[in-house]
Amino acid sequence: HISGGERQKAYFAMMLAQQASVWLLDEPCSHLDAAYRRQIAAVLKGAAEDGKTVLTVEHDINRAVETADRILVLHDGRLCFNGSVGDFLRSEIPETVFSLRRLKAVAPDGTSTVLFQ
């Protein structure tokens, strides 16, 4: 018996071994702790920079904003947003489609990050 996180890592390893040029992933970081989520995000970003097509389905809006280059939002079976992360953050989609509350976190060095709750 293995945990959900161990299973997720095994599936990810199998995908890497196939060396496909298109990666389609459904919540690739589910069941993983923060350190592994960062590692997976780095691998996905590196693959995209190497010319691979990487498409992930995410239900965690904060993770999508943190890791994506583009965001597409489906609502009621229809595409209701397709744009850059910056465009997504300037839109009202998080509030209107997902009923989320927008928060702004400011680090001690003055940098800020938008989070959704």
Side-chain angles (χ1 to χ4, degrees), residues 3 12 15 29 77 105 116:
S3 71
F12 196 78
M15 182 204 61
C29 295
F116 296 99

Side-chain angles (χ1 to χ4, degrees), residues 60-69 71 85 88-89 114 116:
D60 182 332
I61 303 303
N62 292 309
R63 186 172 301 135
V65 166
E66 181 182 341
T67 60
D69 294 324
I71 294 181
V85 172
F88 178 79
L89 291 173
V114 174
F116 296 99

Side-chain angles (χ1 to χ4, degrees), residues 9 12 14 16-17 34-35 49 67 94:
K9 289 185 278 186
F12 196 78
M14 290 186 317
L16 290 174
E49 289 171 352
T67 60

